[in-house]
Amino acid sequence: MRLRKLVAAAVPLPALLCLSLAPAANADPLVTMAANAAPLTQSDRTGDVGAEQQIPAALSLKLHNQQALDQFLSDVQNPASPQYHHFLTPAQFNAAFGPTQADVNKAVAFLKQNGASGIEVSGNRQAVTFTGSAAQLESTFHTGIGNYLDKVTGRKFFANDSAPSLPASVSSVVGAVVGLDNHAVKQHSDTKAAPHVVKAVTPPILKSAYGTSGLSATGAGVNVGFVEFDGYKKADITSYDSKYGLQAGSVSTVSVSGANYDSSPGQGETEVDLDIEVVHALAAAANDYVYEAPNSNAGELAMYQKIASDAKVKVVSISWGSCEAAEGSSAANSVNSAISTGTAEGISYFAAAGDDGTTDCARQTGSYSKAVDFPASSPNVSGVGGTQLTVTSSNGYSSEKAWNDGASGGAGGGGISTLFNAPSWQSKQSTTKRKVPDVAGDAAEGSAYTIVSGGTTGNVWGTSGAAPLWAGFATLQNQVHGGGLGNLNPTFYGIGNGSSYGTGFHDVTTGNNTFNGTTGFTAGTGYDQVTGWGSFKGTGLSGLIG
């Protein structure tokens, strides 16, 4: 922790003691935000962060009436409830559950008093983003901020040395301080060229194999959102659509916290192209909103809050995430609150379950212990695992097995959350903690996705393809059913536990996600922690979604 020199005038020692021990009138005691401690395991502190280094951060404000919100989220997906599919507008959510304007004013006043700049309140009042120098943030939150070196991965990052503290009056409205470390950079599938393709999948193959050809829906009139931390070139999307004769809707970039990578996309460009183009493969006529944010916890929170407050989209595809340990409970819970807000408004979220089998932290922290990916582990998100798809000579569905290409190619993520309790709809899976994935789709190198990226046609793979595949299917369902569907997990589990399971899902019963020498889970009949309930049978599952 950086030490500040304290200079005092010459005062007799007894007087100094009196000054330091006398309690201030109406003192506002400090409250330690224990859940905001940075993940410093297996890391060495290498020095102080420069005092003038500018750090973007955010305060996540507490929701009100959490018990009532939990009940509403249950009722709005319960066909027997009068609340079924009576989703809220952002204004209605704010009035019932959101932070009050007084809460916001208290948080903003606190930041201004401590010299923060660029203060911005999210549209739903749930997050206040800001920037401060390292010295300002140390003083504001009563913790040092140091540079660290991860001894396992060799990655350099900055982090708060201890859990931050806030005045009690401020902590009463603030749920988390987000962004005091940059340890958890959001990752995506290793979207490199696939040299071992057996048969790459294209829009005609996906529609035929997964049974959406029989649906009259095209995605027209539905808005789809994409969570991205890099950019894309519209020419690539147009080229893909032209290549397969797809009549596409509009594609627009939504900048979050000033981020826009489209003029010069980075290493994540292929990921962004994959996300958009796979949705186009099934539901090209939808309108796409590509949300781009800084790759940080603060940027992530701002993005999910903006998606909810904008209320433009009804389906969200997510292929970027962090293992839960790297994300941290405070950041994860803050994002989960934003996602639950969107769910209450009728948004359906689909997130990749990861490509490292049960060892989701391997690439971020070097740990081979069992772990799962966030936000796929959020109960308000449908986590999507991976399969290898085999088709017939006429491109019909033949079979699927759990995706596991080994060390060179990856394996579908799955396991048990350490952060979230099992929701009621997962009770029959004998668990006290949330299990993932919920569903699965093609993700293997042998059945890689053909896309256009950087002006070149190639094949890529990973659960980063499976998530937008399911988002594309949900987009068709929004059109078929005339509106948003919200969290589809209760519906999926209701079907999976019932007699109509085989009508709606391809049950994947072979393979496992053992990876990096860590024994994983084995696919079997019904639900499993490799492929969830399996992949969708387009027309069959469509008929079961109310």
Side-chain angles (χ1 to χ4, degrees):
M1 180 174 180
R2 185 178 289 109
L3 298 176
R4 310 287 182 190
K5 290 185 177 180
L6 301 178
V7 181
V11 180
L13 183 58
L16 275 174
L17 289 174
C18 290
L19 286 171
S20 62
L21 295 177
N26 301 318
D28 195 353
L30 292 176
V31 174
T32 300
M33 311 290 284
N36 290 245
L40 303 177
T41 304
Q42 303 184 84
S43 299
D44 287 331
R45 195 180 195 279
T46 60
D48 294 335
V49 169
E52 298 306 314
Q53 179 174 327
Q54 298 297 300
I55 298 175
L59 299 181
S60 176
L61 304 191
K62 294 177 180 178
L63 296 178
H64 290 262
N65 307 319
Q66 185 65 54
Q67 187 174 356
L69 173 57
D70 293 341
Q71 186 61 54
F72 174 78
L73 292 175
S74 175
D75 291 342
V76 80
Q77 294 301 146
N78 181 1
S81 169
Q83 296 288 343
Y84 183 59
H85 281 187
H86 288 178
F87 298 110
L88 303 178
T89 65
Q92 289 171 328
F93 185 95
N94 286 352
F97 309 113
T100 65
Q101 189 59 49
D103 294 342
V104 172
N105 293 344
K106 185 177 292 186
V108 169
F110 169 73
L111 292 174
K112 287 182 176 179
Q113 288 166 6
N114 285 277
S117 61
I119 298 173
E120 183 176 342
V121 180
S122 65
N124 56 16
R125 300 196 296 253
Q126 289 184 33
V128 184
T129 55
F130 60 95
T131 299
S133 69
Q136 286 174 324
L137 297 186
E138 287 180 325
S139 174
T140 301
F141 299 109
H142 305 276
T143 179
I145 300 178
N147 288 313
Y148 285 83
L149 175 67
D150 190 306
K151 292 185 289 188
V152 176
T153 64
R155 183 171 175 270
K156 297 178 180 179
F157 63 97
F158 68 79
N160 47 301
D161 300 320
S162 59
S165 297
L166 290 171
S169 62
V170 180
S171 70
S172 67
V173 301
V174 173
V177 182
V178 178
L180 297 185
D181 73 86
N182 68 342
H183 179 266
V185 175
K186 315 310 163 188
Q187 297 186 325
H188 56 84
S189 290
D190 188 8
T191 46
K192 58 189 177 185
H196 303 118
V197 176
V198 176
K199 186 169 185 176
V201 293
T202 60
I205 294 175
L206 291 171
K207 290 176 182 177
S208 176
Y210 284 119
T212 64
S213 298
L215 298 173
S216 59
T218 61
V222 182
N223 295 339
V224 182
F226 297 87
V227 167
E228 306 293 355
F229 297 97
D230 211 323
Y232 65 101
K233 295 291 187 182
K234 281 191 178 181
D236 288 328
I237 311 303
T238 301
S239 178
Y240 179 85
D241 294 336
S242 177
K243 182 180 181 70
Y244 295 108
L246 304 175
Q247 301 300 312
S250 63
V251 181
S252 306
T253 298
V254 182
S255 174
V256 180
S257 299
N260 188 319
Y261 305 99
D262 297 346
S263 62
S264 182
Q267 293 182 342
E269 178 182 9
T270 301
E271 175 61 68
V272 184
D273 293 332
L274 173 67
D275 294 346
I276 300 170
E277 291 171 14
V278 172
V279 168
H280 280 208
L282 296 188
N287 297 313
D288 303 329
Y289 291 86
V290 185
Y291 286 79
E292 298 180 8
N295 193 339
S296 65
N297 279 350
E300 178 189 38
L301 177 60
M303 171 139 46
Y304 283 101
Q305 292 291 11
K306 186 165 179 58
I307 288 172
S309 62
D310 283 354
K312 287 181 179 178
V313 303
K314 287 304 180 186
V315 179
V316 175
S317 178
I318 309 163
S319 293
W320 301 72
S322 300
C323 75
E324 287 186 332
E327 180 78 12
S329 62
S330 180
N333 284 317
S334 297
V335 171
N336 186 54
S337 291
I339 292 174
S340 68
T341 302
T343 301
E345 297 167 0
I347 300 175
S348 302
Y349 296 84
F350 294 87
D355 298 348
D356 295 290
T358 57
T359 59
D360 196 71
C361 284
R363 283 186 289 165
Q364 286 186 293
T365 70
S367 171
Y368 295 123
S369 299
K370 289 185 176 180
V372 296
D373 204 70
F374 178 83
S377 63
S378 163
N380 296 298
V381 172
S382 294
V384 186
T387 69
Q388 179 161 350
L389 173 67
T390 300
V391 298
T392 66
S393 58
S394 59
N395 294 332
Y397 183 91
S398 176
S399 65
E400 279 174 286
K401 64 180 180 180
W403 167 44
N404 194 333
D405 288 330
S408 63
I416 303 173
S417 172
T418 61
L419 299 181
F420 300 103
N421 292 329
S424 60
W425 38 263
Q426 210 170 44
S427 60
K428 291 187 178 181
Q429 278 61 57
S430 302
T431 181
T432 58
K433 288 291 186 177
R434 164 88 162 109
K435 287 183 176 179
V436 289
D438 302 298
V439 292
D442 181 48
E445 182 181 4
S447 49
Y449 293 85
T450 298
I451 67 167
V452 178
S453 184
T456 302
T457 299
N459 302 312
V460 295
W461 75 100
T463 54
S464 285
L469 180 71
W470 269 91
F473 173 73
T475 300
L476 298 178
Q477 295 311 298
N478 268 247
Q479 183 182 356
V480 168
H481 297 285
L485 299 171
N487 185 359
L488 281 164
N489 284 338
T491 298
F492 295 155
Y493 281 77
I495 295 169
N497 289 316
S499 60
S500 298
Y501 175 36
T503 301
F505 290 93
H506 297 290
D507 188 9
V508 182
T509 59
T510 59
N512 60 65
N513 58 3
T514 293
F515 197 65
N516 285 325
T518 300
T519 301
F521 299 93
T522 300
T525 302
Y527 179 84
D528 55 69
Q529 290 161 264
V530 187
T531 62
W533 291 109
S535 63
F536 58 84
K537 293 181 178 179
T539 54
L541 187 55
S542 178
L544 297 173
I545 295 176

